[in-house]
Structures are given as structure tokens and as C-alpha cells.
């Protein structure tokens, strides 16, 4: 019974690693812009993190 449990754990770990579930790298992003409009100039900056299909972005 103990050997079966070890074999199942090793198989599950190999399956997770094989399908990419161990994680994708986190990619930092940054943006900056400067614009000119009828009311003057303006600027903005933003930073974010992206991992796979999920992204978080904070802009000021």
C-alpha cells in the first residue's frame, strides 16, 4: 500500500510538470506616456505584472 502511494505521488508530480502546471515566469511590465492637449500637457506612468493569462496593472 505504501509503495502504491509513492508511485501515485511521483506520477502526479510528473504529470503536473509535464503539462506546465509548475508555473510560467512572472513578466513585469511598465509604460510611460506624455501627451499634449487643449488643457496643457499631461503624463502618466504604470507598472504591472503578467503571469500567463492573468495580468495586474497599476497606472497613475
Amino acid at each position: 500500500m505504501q509503495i502504491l502511494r509513492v508511485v501515485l505521488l511521483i506520477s502526479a508530480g510528473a504529470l503536473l510538470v509535464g503539462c506546465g502546471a509548475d508555473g510560467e515566469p512572472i513578466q513585469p511590465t511598465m509604460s510611460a506616456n506624455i501627451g499634449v492637449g487643449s488643457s496643457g500637457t499631461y503624463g502618466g506612468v504604470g507598472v504591472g505584472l503578467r503571469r500567463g493569462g492573468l495580468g495586474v496593472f497599476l497606472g497613475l
Side-chain angles (χ1 to χ4, degrees):
M1 190 64 161
Q2 186 71 10
I3 294 174
L4 179 61
R5 187 176 293 176
V6 170
V7 170
L8 287 175
L9 284 174
I10 291 173
S11 299
L15 180 68
L16 285 174
V17 170
C19 73
D22 60 337
E24 297 179 16
I26 296 176
Q27 300 172 337
T29 59
M30 185 181 91
S31 69
N33 58 30
I34 299 174
V36 178
S38 60
S39 61
T41 61
Y42 60 91
V45 295
V47 294
L49 295 173
R50 176 170 292 282
R51 180 175 181 177
L54 176 66
V56 177
F57 190 79
L58 175 65
L60 303 171

